[in-house]
Amino acid sequence: MRPSSPHMLPVGAPNPPTEKHSVSVSLPTWESVAAWGRREQWLLDLLHTCYPRFEMHSSIRKLMNAVCARLRTPEGISCFIFPSADALSRCKSHLNTEHPDQPIQTVKFVPHQSADKEVLRWAPFFAILLPQQCLSSAKHFWKVFGDGITGRHAEYCLEEFPFMKLDSEDATFETPALCKQRIKGDQQWIDSAAAEKDSLRKQIARLATSDRPDFQPVTRREVFLYPKGMCAIAAVARALVPADLSRSEAVIYGWPYAETPQCVGESNYQRSTLLSAGSKQELDELEASMAAGRRIQVLFCEFPSNPQLRSPDLPRIHALARKYDFMVAVDDTLGTFVNIDILPYVDIVMTSLTKIFSGFCNVMGGSVVINPQSTNYTTIHSALATLHEDTYFPLDAMIMAQNASDFETRVSRCNANALAVANFLTTHPLVARVYYPSLVPSRPYYDQVRRKDGGYGYLLSIVFHHPEIAVRFYDALDMCKGPSVGTNFSLAIPYSLLAHFHEQDWAESEGGIEKYMVRISVGMEREEDIIARVQDALTAATVSLN
């Protein structure tokens, strides 16, 4: 069933409006996006939700407050909550590096040992206590690596919190459980949602398998699940850090999603290099440097890139990787398993399942697929398996599995709508450029890996002849507006203003990310309805200009 006609929601409302765990929030005007960048209080007070790595869900804040209240933390002390000891340890290490003179403490809350096995598995959580001076660094870690607890997981922990005891080496924090321990929980899942997680791995393995008859099918063993897409990217980045310092360099080729270079760059490589243009010249220069003795461990890229929808030359990159012995890790979130057949040219595929794989904008998730025929298969699989910990909260996994059941049909519908909108926009006199895989110069690179029945995806970006037209168009556009992409409903945002608010000049000069670019994730509504809304906004912008 297709969503109703796209519509603009009040500032701060969830996208979609009735979803408690929405991963997008309405920012319906250019000024509201700028106010988010400045973190203006009037806007923050209106937010019912937000993209979960950008801000914390209300359930997470409630759990944080409950922890601070129970520990009687002094004023000025905050806490951040993680589902695993590993994430807690990495956050603490990050904070100790950034603020070596500040006191950082950690605690763990656990249920009574007689509790139900699922309670014992999912109720424990870890908290890091930090002073205000460390707050921005902690938020940076939360945003870039995605390791924080999810909203549904926090809700569950809140329910169990009164029955949990504190596990801490610091005796000053010792507090008993607040209530008499209940023995059996009332979970909505069985065996950590193992069946749903297995179903997701099977589905991803089937979809990621190459169409080439000589290519080995992907199995569940090659698929790893993560609570968020950035968790998947971060896990790959950490897993591939080599012991050999001479080759400890990660290259990010092409302009990627804003957090990816930070995530890779902060994953303990000796060197991290951004080749922002994603051009033939940069590949030529990289090849020449490797021919002269340069050694790299891994090349990361997106296919296609966000927000310019440019496609790298994967067959050439693959040939270079084999010749100079490095690995290739590609984020295919915008391309999708349905549209592109990239596994023969890469070692690893990383996907944000939060986007169109889910579509409903109400749950997060990420996956990693290892090429079963990669010459580095054993090394990669061993490294990922050693680091992997199942922190994918069962309710999140169950909702993801349910949402993804019609993934292929939804991708096809969004492909057709986006192509129609992109082609329509190219003919309008107000529009200077449309970024879409079929319309940019790198189309041949996309076409050489496009599946037989694959399309060009659901995302496009628009650049207008005049900056004021972009503002007026965005303000008049009557569709959902806010962060994220791949939603079943159309969703727009001024990309640079959102993703690079404090570095717009740099993003424009370094990556060609125009300050007044408007990105639209095209949904499943009727094609004519979407185009009519876009046309109405263009008309309104024209009238305003005159």
Side-chain angles (χ1 to χ4, degrees), residues 141 253 309 360 458 501:
F141 182 89
Y253 177 73
L309 289 308
F360 284 82
Y458 54 88
F501 183 78

Side-chain angles (χ1 to χ4, degrees), residues 178-237:
L178 302 179
C179 302
K180 184 177 179 181
Q181 178 65 37
R182 64 179 177 186
I183 304 301
K184 187 172 177 59
D186 53 354
Q187 289 78 27
Q188 302 173 48
W189 64 86
I190 299 171
D191 193 20
S192 299
E196 288 82 2
K197 293 174 184 178
D198 192 53
S199 173
L200 285 169
R201 282 189 289 267
K202 284 181 182 177
Q203 182 181 9
I204 292 168
R206 175 179 62 82
L207 293 168
T209 293
S210 176
D211 290 338
R212 286 173 29 173
D214 61 334
F215 201 81
Q216 182 178 333
V218 178
T219 69
R220 289 170 293 173
R221 187 174 186 271
E222 281 85 54
V223 181
F224 293 80
L225 297 178
Y226 298 89
K228 303 182 185 77
M230 283 309 301
C231 293
I233 293 173
V236 170

Side-chain angles (χ1 to χ4, degrees), residues 52-177:
R53 285 188 301 99
F54 294 175
E55 278 291 325
M56 293 174 189
H57 189 272
S58 59
S59 298
I60 299 175
R61 292 202 173 276
K62 288 177 183 177
L63 183 59
M64 290 164 58
N65 292 338
V67 168
C68 288
R70 184 161 162 186
L71 298 180
R72 298 183 179 90
T73 56
E75 186 176 349
I77 298 296
S78 300
C79 87
F80 281 61
I81 295 173
F82 298 94
S84 77
D86 176 64
L88 182 85
S89 175
R90 286 186 284 106
C91 182
K92 184 177 182 182
S93 177
H94 171 78
L95 295 177
N96 285 338
T97 300
E98 295 282 316
H99 304 277
D101 299 326
Q102 294 297 324
I104 308 294
Q105 297 172 290
T106 60
V107 296
K108 178 182 180 181
F109 285 92
V110 295
H112 193 274
Q113 284 302 307
S114 61
D116 178 89
K117 71 171 185 176
E118 291 297 298
V119 176
L120 293 172
R121 173 67 182 84
W122 295 102
F125 65 88
F126 303 81
I128 189 164
L129 307 174
L130 57 139
Q132 288 293 119
Q133 294 91 326
C134 301
L135 200 54
S136 62
S137 294
K139 286 182 177 178
H140 173 84
F141 182 89
W142 184 280
K143 179 180 180 182
V144 169
F145 295 99
D147 287 306
I149 195 168
T150 67
R152 289 185 183 87
H153 198 168
E155 285 181 345
Y156 176 70
C157 292
L158 267 172
E159 292 174 2
E160 298 296 332
F161 191 60
F163 311 100
M164 297 172 73
K165 61 181 181 177
L166 181 68
D167 182 359
S168 172
E169 295 179 358
D170 189 337
T172 62
F173 285 138
E174 287 300 333
T175 62

Side-chain angles (χ1 to χ4, degrees), residues 401-417:
Q402 179 180 338
N403 290 356
S405 61
D406 61 347
F407 168 60
E408 294 161 271
T409 301
R410 289 185 289 105
V411 170
S412 297
R413 182 68 251 155
C414 293
N415 284 344
N417 282 345

Side-chain angles (χ1 to χ4, degrees), residues 231-251:
C231 293
I233 293 173
V236 170
R238 289 196 303 275
L240 299 187
V241 174
D244 182 355
L245 298 184
S246 69
R247 66 179 305 124
S248 185
E249 179 179 3
V251 169

Side-chain angles (χ1 to χ4, degrees), residues 518-535:
V518 176
R519 187 187 70 183
I520 300 179
S521 176
V522 181
M524 295 174 59
E525 305 92 349
R526 295 193 329 153
E527 175 189 309
E528 53 267 39
D529 289 345
I530 304 172
I531 291 178
R533 298 300 174 102
V534 171
Q535 177 64 73

